[in-house]
Amino acid sequence: MAHGIKFKLNEKLYIKDPQDTTYGQKLLKHSIFLFHKLGFESFTFKKLAKEIESTETSIYRYFENKHFLLLYLTCWYWEWVHYLIDINLMNIVDPKRKLKIIIHNIVNASAENPLTEYINENVLHSVIINEGSKAYHIHDVDKENEKGYYLSYKRLVKKVSDVMQEFSPNFPYPKLLASNLFEMANNQIYFAEHLPDMTEIKNRKRKFDDLEEAMCLITFKLLK
Amino acid sequence: MAHGIKFKLNEKLYIKDPQDTTYGQKLLKHSIFLFHKLGFESFTFKKLAKEIESTETSIYRYFENKHFLLLYLTCWYWEWVHYLIDINLMNIVDPKRKLKIIIHNIVNASAENPLTEYINENVLHSVIINEGSKAYHIHDVDKENEKGYYLSYKRLVKKVSDVMQEFSPNFPYPKLLASNLFEMANNQIYFAEHLPDMTEIKNRKRKFDDLEEAMCLITFKLLK
DNA sequence: CTAAATAGATAGTATTACTATCTTAAAATA
DNA sequence: TATTTTAAGATAGTAATACTATCTATTTAG
């Protein structure tokens, strides 16, 4: 499997691309763990600086503020899921099989084969489940959308939506269903872990497989 | 229609219940507008104090911090939707009609008949769409859940889930579907307004009706 | 070998998120 | 009516946050 892969993210997300320097990679690596440990609200550049034995100033040379750092990680995550879907869909023609693979990759976005040394995909997945929606639920969403900050997510939704339409040309809401699948995947795991009354998915090892099964049932019942 | 109604919310959400005093009601009223205007991140008690021509100190006598204020409003909103569903479900026996009414009230949670003078339900709905999920996507979610802060939401999901089970006793995921309907309702309106590539719902006057139609189609196709 | 780029060090500011205390006004009660 | 709670305003102050500016030391590239 490819190693040392780099995703091209919107250039306005960062001041200097952290993927390009060892310092930047260290920054990314520890930011994922620190977001996981503290949550978005309590996370600060000062604490991150301490973690990587550096200074606030140096971190500010890469990102304007913590919002852009989270958004960067979120975009990286979307690109990663897109990449997973792309390689797993190679040579598949049956749209039903395609959808099953897509759902598997949306829910079970775990890393059997890590792509990079500096991004722990499993911890990042956890951060996305807990904090991901905060990257685009912001007051300046329209301005940021204009600047193309959410293109990674939108392209991903389009890809899934297109396969849905291929499978079921008459279904009137492929984009709604696709975006809802992404949101559902993260929300239902969040509920399973923290608000178990809100879902049938139990917080156990198999939870990702359970959710995958539920999402397959829902998707195919709707598209049939 | 009832006027001056008061919802009983978890007592640990506030230091002093704002519904009980005219000052508190003014606080609530303007906090909704200010959350709407600034978003959660830029909202501060100092700015709110200025808005109501008061002081930070006085606001701190009602709420520990802005998180609890948002959570209070969110709980009020859930209680309100619950109330709407309850009164509109009176004397309805057919579970299919029940579900249609429920979906209408989830999506179209607007106020033809305002319940209170101090809460603008339409602006509050907008705040919930934009900021609502931040009330429970927090690092201390488990602690807060233990204290019962999310009971309003959980009860609401249970109510809807129960009707789903009544309509379709063999459907294996009523809670998942119910919680997903609530999340979908807010998300898809958010997408329609800000990220239109993510949904078929168009950002126009009829958007709530369009979404209601989509959600009915989805729900009944799944439960049939 | 020199110039440019990168990160560290230090300092400083405005704002945020509070807490403490004291005073005044209004409402409740004796 | 007098008194005592209670609610809110005023003022002050602190620690942390979210930055910006500047200067120096070290690496890296041409």
Side-chain angles (χ1 to χ4, degrees), chain A residues 35-39 41 129-131 133-134 136-139 141-142 145 150 153-154 157 161 171-177 179-180 183-184 187-188 190-191 193-202 210-211 213-214 217-218 221-224, chain B residues 35-39 41 129-131 133-134 136-139 141-142 145 150 153-154 157 161 171-177 179-180 183-184 187-188 190-191 193-202 210-211 213-214 217-218 221-224:
Chain A
F35 272 131
H36 183 66
K37 187 179 167 192
L38 301 177
E41 286 71 31
I129 287 169
N130 289 287
E131 320 289 345
S133 68
K134 293 172 193 168
Y136 50 96
H137 274 83
I138 50 157
H139 200 61
V141 57
D142 295 331
N145 185 38
Y150 313 118
Y153 197 15
K154 293 196 278 190
V157 166
S161 159
F171 182 71
Y173 304 111
K175 290 194 284 184
L176 184 154
L177 180 55
S179 63
N180 186 240
E183 301 285 321
M184 188 196 298
N187 260 321
Q188 294 294 325
Y190 188 80
F191 289 154
E193 287 175 345
H194 304 293
L195 303 167
D197 296 339
M198 312 270 284
T199 184
E200 279 81 15
I201 310 298
K202 297 285 158 243
D210 294 347
L211 180 57
E213 201 185 313
L217 184 144
I218 286 172
K221 207 161 180 181
L222 285 177
L223 293 181
K224 212 180 315 180
Chain B
F35 272 132
H36 184 65
K37 186 180 168 190
L38 301 177
E41 286 71 32
I129 287 169
N130 289 288
E131 321 289 346
S133 68
K134 293 172 193 167
Y136 50 95
H137 275 83
I138 50 157
H139 200 61
V141 57
D142 295 331
N145 184 38
Y150 313 118
Y153 197 14
K154 293 196 278 190
V157 166
S161 158
F171 183 70
Y173 304 111
K175 291 194 282 183
L176 184 152
L177 180 55
S179 64
N180 186 241
E183 301 285 321
M184 188 196 299
N187 262 320
Q188 294 293 325
Y190 188 81
F191 288 154
E193 287 175 346
H194 304 293
L195 303 167
D197 297 339
M198 310 272 284
T199 184
E200 279 81 14
I201 310 299
K202 298 285 157 242
D210 294 346
L211 180 57
E213 200 185 314
L217 184 144
I218 286 171
K221 207 160 180 181
L222 286 176
L223 294 181
K224 211 180 318 184

Side-chain angles (χ1 to χ4, degrees), chain A residues 12-23:
Chain A
K12 288 171 196 154
L13 286 176
Y14 48 80
I15 295 164
K16 187 182 161 69
D17 194 340
Q19 288 180 103
D20 288 341
T21 65
T22 43
Y23 179 92

Side-chain angles (χ1 to χ4, degrees), chain B:
Chain B
M1 172 134 307
H3 230 274
I5 203 165
K6 187 192 157 178
F7 292 126
K8 261 193 201 136
L9 306 179
N10 187 312
E11 288 183 9
K12 289 170 195 154
L13 286 176
Y14 49 81
I15 295 163
K16 187 182 163 70
D17 194 340
Q19 288 181 103
D20 288 343
T21 65
T22 43
Y23 179 92
Q25 294 174 2
K26 199 176 175 186
L27 192 170
L28 290 179
K29 182 176 187 166
H30 287 84
S31 71
I32 293 167
F33 282 95
L34 205 59
F35 272 132
H36 184 65
K37 186 180 168 190
L38 301 177
F40 182 71
E41 286 71 32
S42 298
F43 176 102
T44 69
F45 277 0
K46 200 167 197 175
K47 291 172 187 168
L48 177 58
K50 203 180 171 184
E51 204 73 18
I52 60 177
E53 289 171 299
S54 173
T55 56
E56 262 184 293
T57 330
S58 301
I59 297 170
Y60 275 108
R61 286 189 182 110
Y62 284 82
F63 291 103
E64 253 181 88
N65 52 50
K66 68 174 174 178
H67 160 66
F68 282 98
L69 173 50
L70 178 67
L71 188 51
Y72 186 97
L73 293 173
T74 308
C75 288
W76 197 97
Y77 174 80
W78 289 325
E79 290 296 330
W80 177 54
V81 173
H82 207 136
Y83 167 87
L84 284 180
I85 289 174
D86 276 346
I87 56 165
N88 287 305
L89 246 49
M90 280 194 335
N91 308 320
I92 310 281
V93 281
D94 176 31
K96 185 168 189 175
R97 274 197 67 202
K98 280 191 193 171
L99 277 174
K100 278 185 181 171
I101 291 167
I102 284 172
I103 289 168
H104 175 77
N105 281 295
I106 292 176
V107 176
N108 228 306
S110 62
E112 296 124 36
N113 309 298
L115 279 188
T116 59
E117 195 254 316
Y118 55 93
I119 296 212
N120 182 319
E121 284 89 351
N122 296 309
V123 182
L124 178 58
H125 188 195
S126 197
V127 169
I128 299 301
I129 287 169
N130 289 288
E131 321 289 346
S133 68
K134 293 172 193 167
Y136 50 95
H137 275 83
I138 50 157
H139 200 61
D140 286 341
V141 57
D142 295 331
K143 264 185 218 162
E144 297 206 347
N145 184 38
E146 258 179 51
K147 289 182 184 158
Y149 293 176
Y150 313 118
L151 278 171
S152 300
Y153 197 14
K154 293 196 278 190
R155 273 195 294 253
L156 190 48
V157 166
K158 183 169 185 346
K159 157 145 263 159
V160 176
S161 158
D162 285 348
V163 178
M164 284 175 177
Q165 245 181 338
E166 189 192 348
F167 177 74
S168 178
N170 295 320
F171 183 70
Y173 304 111
K175 291 194 282 183
L176 184 152
L177 180 55
S179 64
N180 186 241
L181 281 189
F182 281 100
E183 301 285 321
M184 188 196 299
N186 291 337
N187 262 320
Q188 294 293 325
I189 293 295
Y190 188 81
F191 288 154
E193 287 175 346
H194 304 293
L195 303 167
D197 297 339
M198 310 272 284
T199 184
E200 279 81 14
I201 310 299
K202 298 285 157 242
N203 188 20
R204 48 171 176 163
K205 254 199 166 176
R206 271 184 49 81
K207 67 189 163 196
F208 293 107
D209 300 316
D210 294 346
L211 180 57
E212 189 182 330
E213 200 185 314
M215 280 174 54
C216 276
L217 184 144
I218 286 171
T219 304
F220 290 112
K221 207 160 180 181
L222 286 176
L223 294 181
K224 211 180 318 184

Side-chain angles (χ1 to χ4, degrees), chain A residues 95-108:
Chain A
K96 186 169 189 173
R97 274 197 68 202
K98 280 190 194 173
L99 277 174
K100 279 185 179 172
I101 291 167
I102 284 171
I103 289 168
H104 176 76
N105 280 295
I106 292 176
V107 176
N108 228 308

